[in-house]
Amino acid sequence: MQSYIRLFWIVVGFWVVLTSCSDEDFLEENRKDALTTDNAFLTKAQFESLLGSIYRKVQNFYNAGDGDTDAWPLGLGTDAMFWPRDDSRIFNDWTLLNSFDGFSSRWYTWQYEIINYSNMVIDAAQKENVKWNSDEERDAVIAEGRFFRAFAYRNLANIFGGVPIIDAPLIEPKVDFMRNSREECWQFAKDDLMFASNHLPLTESLPGKVTRAAADHLLAEISISLKDWDGAIAATSRVINGTDGDYELMTDRFGSRADEPGKNIYWDLFRMGNQNYDTGNKEAIWVSQMEFNVPGGTVQFGRPTIERMMWCSYWDFKKAGYSGQAQDSTGRGVAFVRPTTHTNYTVWKGAGNDLRNTEATIKRKYYFAEDVAPYTKGDVIPKSFLTTKEDSLQFVYPNWSKFGTDKHLDGKPDNGYVRDYYVIRLPETYLLRAEAHLGNNRPDLAAADINVIRSRAKAPLVDPVDVDLDYILDERIRELYGEEFRMLTLGRLGMIYDRTKRFGYDPARNSIREHNNLFPIPQTVIDRNVGAKMEQNPGY
């Protein structure tokens, strides 16, 4: 009897199973012992962790390595800066640029890593099982993902032209990518940014988080690339007129060293601790965060290497009496990257009392450390004393104070400069609107925007008749040198060749060719795409 009862319940059990789920439900795997793409992102905190991976990638742009590693997007080898140690190095010799170049290949890879993370955010946030407090909370997270996806496609299209658009997570291997056009990439980014502009918060929840103003700033640049002048003007105006939040150019001394005499507001903008909006800096729109002695606070070496990279090594100029021992007051520049003559001198002709060109902001005077006949200790080192190439390319050249300090953390000149990095600062928003006004045949309005920046700097105002694209690009050097991604700016304008040919370091001027306005698609990308032909850019 017991065996019949057991058999009865076995049959009932099978009947319940078979009638309570379909074949698909029965076979569907619902893992609870491990994370999958379906269960890893169910709360806002989990999405914040994923978004944190994207912010970490942006840190890479500023702290990826030593030498001139971090200078490439800033305009290495163009009208702005160059490697002063070897004329045969790539970007001094543009003929060396090919599809195996490590600088642009790494940039390409970084952007698609950001796109991958962004697509994961956008896709997972729309799943029904995610616990959101409101639709607004969900849309803000999606907007953050779409902002970064647009940011990455802008970073790609400006340099490489058209690239494959990937609008969803890849769940299986794909080896048949096709390149979209450059305009399609910009339009795709524009659509993402329009969503981000509507759904990102007005204020950052934490320092370094992107906001609506960052989306509109980037939307303006993309709109300019698409020659949508009115759209660009509208987007920048939302940032400037207060619609996107309370932003304004800083005009009074502020921050950690505001009481030091002989300095100015432009100098204050780059002191450690002064970059973030929550510290009172109202022109900070998006700032990449770096922290000293904090896990994850930097990427390499425990600090960014921009001071080491950008500053000359006058502390090691033994010919002028220096000991070769860097001090807290000198920093430890190694002269991996030097400004061009155009950056150091030409753009400052007629500068008047421009605060950005004072000795506080660009150190041009260096002094003998000991008696060196016929000079005595404390005398200014004259140009005539710089008799070798190394003297003026490595030991003595203008140091821009925005890249270093005379008061290092723990007094360490080699490891003690750790500050946050402006990705977007309000003066660039004004310059984008000026560019859009110029495209709209309104040089008067373009001049008015440029003069807001020049007024803050106490520089002579520009007349509308003198405003053209070259003037705006020169003003970008004066205001944004070493901040803007100069390579991307010149790339979107198709002017890498033109500006380098006219204003670059001589070896770069002599070697650059017109096809260098676009960079080569990395060879590894082409070789792995075995299912379809990935077209290379002309000239490579």
Side-chain angles (χ1 to χ4, degrees):
M1 184 68 178
Q2 292 293 330
S3 61
Y4 285 110
I5 293 174
R6 284 197 297 271
L7 179 60
F8 169 79
W9 286 114
I10 290 171
V11 172
V12 169
F14 272 106
W15 179 82
V16 169
V17 169
L18 292 173
T19 58
S20 63
C21 65
S22 65
D23 290 344
E24 290 80 6
D25 292 334
F26 183 73
L27 295 173
E28 182 178 351
E29 183 178 12
N30 184 18
R31 295 196 63 181
K32 296 183 179 180
D33 62 337
L35 294 176
T36 70
T37 54
D38 289 321
N39 66 19
F41 307 110
L42 300 177
T43 67
K44 187 173 187 293
Q46 290 170 327
F47 279 95
E48 290 293 350
S49 178
L50 179 55
L51 287 164
S53 299
I54 303 178
Y55 286 98
R56 180 67 167 175
K57 288 296 177 186
V58 176
Q59 275 186 311
N60 271 311
F61 297 179
Y62 302 97
N63 186 206
D66 201 7
D68 56 356
T69 298
D70 299 334
W72 178 80
L74 304 178
L76 183 67
T78 67
D79 59 346
M81 62 184 73
F82 66 97
W83 171 269
R85 292 168 166 263
D86 181 1
D87 288 353
S88 64
R89 189 177 177 87
I90 189 171
F91 304 121
N92 283 339
D93 183 354
W94 278 81
T95 66
L96 298 177
L97 178 59
N98 58 43
S99 59
F100 297 95
D101 165 50
F103 288 89
S104 53
S105 178
R106 181 182 57 195
W107 185 258
Y108 191 99
T109 299
W110 282 346
Q111 308 317 315
Y112 273 106
E113 288 172 344
I114 290 174
I115 290 165
N116 178 49
Y117 285 131
S118 299
N119 281 335
M120 290 171 64
V121 169
I122 297 163
D123 178 72
Q126 299 177 75
K127 294 185 182 296
E128 293 183 358
N129 56 344
V130 180
K131 300 178 180 66
W132 297 111
N133 292 318
S134 65
D135 289 348
E136 289 75 18
E137 182 181 69
R138 177 202 62 208
D139 289 345
V141 167
I142 294 172
E144 202 165 352
R146 294 188 71 170
F147 171 89
F148 278 111
R149 187 168 67 181
F151 176 64
Y153 273 111
R154 168 263 203 167
N155 293 344
L156 289 165
N158 285 14
I159 287 294
F160 299 101
V163 294
I165 292 176
I166 304 173
D167 62 359
L170 295 177
I171 58 176
E172 58 185 24
K174 181 176 173 62
V175 292
D176 59 350
F177 291 103
M178 300 292 291
R179 292 180 66 176
N180 292 83
S181 71
R182 193 182 211 182
E183 289 69 26
E184 287 171 335
C185 292
W186 279 330
Q187 185 61 54
F188 183 74
K190 183 179 181 180
D191 293 342
D192 273 348
L193 289 167
M194 291 178 71
F195 183 91
S197 172
N198 286 321
H199 296 286
L200 280 174
L202 288 174
T203 58
E204 56 187 14
S205 57
L206 292 169
K209 294 282 277 184
V210 295
T211 59
R212 195 170 300 178
D216 271 332
H217 175 100
L218 201 58
L219 175 60
E221 184 194 295
I222 295 292
S223 297
I224 289 171
S225 296
L226 292 168
K227 294 183 169 47
D228 176 12
W229 313 119
D230 291 337
I233 292 166
T236 48
S237 295
R238 288 193 293 271
V239 180
I240 292 167
N241 68 17
T243 301
D244 284 348
D246 184 17
Y247 296 95
E248 60 185 47
L249 297 186
M250 302 297 289
T251 55
D252 296 322
R253 297 291 307 276
F254 78 102
S256 58
R257 298 175 64 180
D259 59 346
E260 294 190 24
K263 312 300 183 184
N264 60 51
I265 179 62
Y266 195 75
W267 183 85
D268 286 337
L269 286 166
F270 300 94
R271 296 313 95 207
M272 286 185 283
N274 286 6
Q275 284 69 56
N276 287 313
Y277 189 94
D278 68 346
T279 64
N281 184 344
K282 288 193 171 184
E283 62 187 74
I285 294 176
W286 180 23
V287 181
S288 182
Q289 303 297 295
M290 300 285 176
E291 299 295 337
F292 182 61
N293 277 346
V294 173
T298 59
V299 181
Q300 298 282 353
F301 316 117
R303 92 287 191 201
T305 60
I306 195 164
E307 182 184 82
R308 171 179 167 86
M309 177 175 74
M310 290 290 205
W311 275 12
C312 68
S313 51
Y314 76 95
W315 56 272
D316 196 29
F317 195 24
K318 297 181 178 65
K319 176 179 170 180
Y322 286 87
S323 66
Q325 182 67 44
Q327 306 295 322
D328 183 18
S329 61
T330 66
R332 195 178 183 281
V334 187
F336 288 135
V337 174
R338 187 190 191 280
T340 60
T341 297
H342 188 71
T343 295
N344 274 337
Y345 303 106
T346 308
V347 301
W348 300 109
K349 291 179 179 178
N353 296 318
D354 195 321
L355 296 177
R356 300 167 299 184
N357 189 40
T358 62
E359 188 67 17
T361 50
I362 304 179
K363 179 178 174 60
R364 300 180 184 276
K365 296 179 181 178
Y366 296 88
Y367 303 90
F368 286 95
E370 299 291 345
D371 293 345
V372 179
Y375 308 101
T376 59
K377 180 179 179 180
D379 285 348
V380 174
I381 299 173
K383 185 176 180 179
S384 59
F385 187 76
L386 308 177
T387 56
T388 71
K389 187 174 182 179
E390 289 75 17
D391 287 350
S392 58
L393 289 185
Q394 295 182 39
F395 292 117
V396 174
Y397 60 71
N399 273 355
W400 292 52
S401 67
K402 60 168 43 177
F403 303 131
T405 185
D406 57 348
K407 292 185 178 179
H408 295 77
L409 298 169
D410 296 336
K412 296 179 178 179
D414 51 349
N415 292 312
Y417 183 62
V418 182
R419 70 161 171 85
D420 303 314
Y421 282 72
Y422 297 111
V423 186
I424 300 174
R425 191 161 61 85
L426 185 60
E428 187 177 16
T429 314
Y430 276 99
L431 290 172
L432 284 174
R433 192 167 72 173
E435 190 179 334
H437 281 314
L438 190 63
N440 230 4
N441 296 314
R442 291 298 305 271
D444 55 326
L445 297 178
D449 276 337
I450 295 168
N451 283 334
V452 172
I453 300 168
R454 294 185 65 79
S455 293
R456 190 268 292 273
K458 303 187 186 308
L461 303 185
V462 63
D463 191 277
V465 72
D466 294 322
V467 175
D468 57 14
L469 201 51
D470 271 330
Y471 189 91
I472 291 174
L473 288 171
D474 284 350
E475 190 66 23
R476 278 179 166 270
I477 287 178
R478 288 184 283 264
E479 182 69 30
L480 301 170
Y481 172 67
E483 295 177 65
E484 71 159 328
F485 294 151
R486 185 72 171 186
M487 197 72 81
L488 273 65
T489 298
L490 297 179
R492 71 173 169 84
L493 294 168
M495 294 183 70
I496 294 175
Y497 168 78
D498 175 75
R499 292 283 297 192
T500 304
K501 191 70 175 176
R502 287 189 288 148
F503 305 122
Y505 179 49
D506 280 349
R509 292 172 60 187
N510 294 332
S511 60
I512 196 165
R513 299 293 181 265
E514 287 192 56
H515 71 264
N516 297 136
N517 276 322
L518 289 179
F519 276 67
I521 301 297
Q523 193 62 42
T524 54
V525 173
I526 294 174
D527 291 344
R528 291 170 183 168
N529 201 59
V530 295
K533 184 177 181 180
M534 177 78 72
E535 296 289 344
Q536 181 57 276
N537 284 327
Y540 297 104

